[in-house]
Amino acid sequence: MLDVKDLSAPHLAWAHDEAMLTQLNSGTVKIESPFVDSFHDGLVMYATKMADSNTIELTDDGWTNDNLESHGLYLNRSPDLLNQLHAYGVVWKDEELTITGNSNDFGRLTNRLLQAMIFVNNMFVLAPEQTADGKQKAR
């Protein structure tokens, strides 16, 4: 029989062991996730404390947008894209993906931002492919 405890304990241990949180300064924490991007680099987020006592903002610090641009893909902020981000509770602000909420919801906020980062990052498949002579071709 497959027991939920047999799956949940190793999963939670993996998540605990693979994620790394680092205090950068008195108001910012770097969150390194075990998930990777199209370059196989780890997905990184930053949490900052907002002016009121329990609100935090998580951001990708513009990484997702920079990653896509390095693939030659420049996204417009189409209503479809913004609606999908909104479904995650995420906004695209100043080239950054961000989510804001109560610090007690840190786990949920982190999960939603990661989902949005992965969703947008996967759009790299839409980027034009470069040929050996530097020309672009459609995928």
Side-chain angles (χ1 to χ4, degrees), residues 3-139:
D3 184 29
V4 69
K5 291 178 186 176
D6 292 338
L7 297 178
S8 64
H11 171 72
L12 293 174
W14 170 82
H16 181 268
D17 293 344
E18 296 297 321
M20 182 181 298
L21 280 69
T22 306
Q23 187 78 46
L24 297 181
N25 58 45
S26 64
T28 305
V29 174
K30 180 180 182 180
I31 305 135
E32 297 176 76
S33 82
F35 305 106
V36 296
D37 65 12
S38 56
F39 293 113
H40 300 284
D41 295 328
L43 297 180
V44 176
M45 300 168 286
Y46 299 89
T48 55
K49 190 167 177 56
M50 304 302 283
D52 70 36
S53 62
N54 290 328
T55 302
I56 58 172
E57 178 181 68
L58 276 72
T59 177
D60 73 341
D61 199 33
W63 168 89
T64 305
N65 188 66
D66 292 344
N67 188 31
L68 289 177
E69 288 182 358
S70 69
H71 280 292
L73 184 62
Y74 299 85
L75 292 179
N76 63 24
R77 306 307 184 258
S78 72
D80 291 335
L81 174 61
L82 297 178
N83 285 338
Q84 183 61 44
L85 293 175
H86 181 71
Y88 297 121
V90 171
V91 296
W92 199 314
K93 178 178 76 173
D94 300 325
E95 306 304 322
E96 296 181 18
L97 296 177
T98 65
I99 189 168
T100 304
N102 189 293
S103 60
N104 293 331
D105 293 329
F106 175 74
R108 183 184 60 80
L109 296 170
T110 302
N111 187 23
R112 288 179 172 248
L113 182 56
L114 278 169
Q115 288 179 35
M117 290 170 67
I118 292 167
F119 169 77
V120 174
N121 184 61
N122 283 340
M123 292 182 177
F124 84 92
V125 299
L126 302 174
E129 198 173 322
Q130 296 289 327
T131 61
D133 62 1
K135 295 182 181 176
Q136 293 181 349
K137 68 176 185 176
R139 287 188 186 250

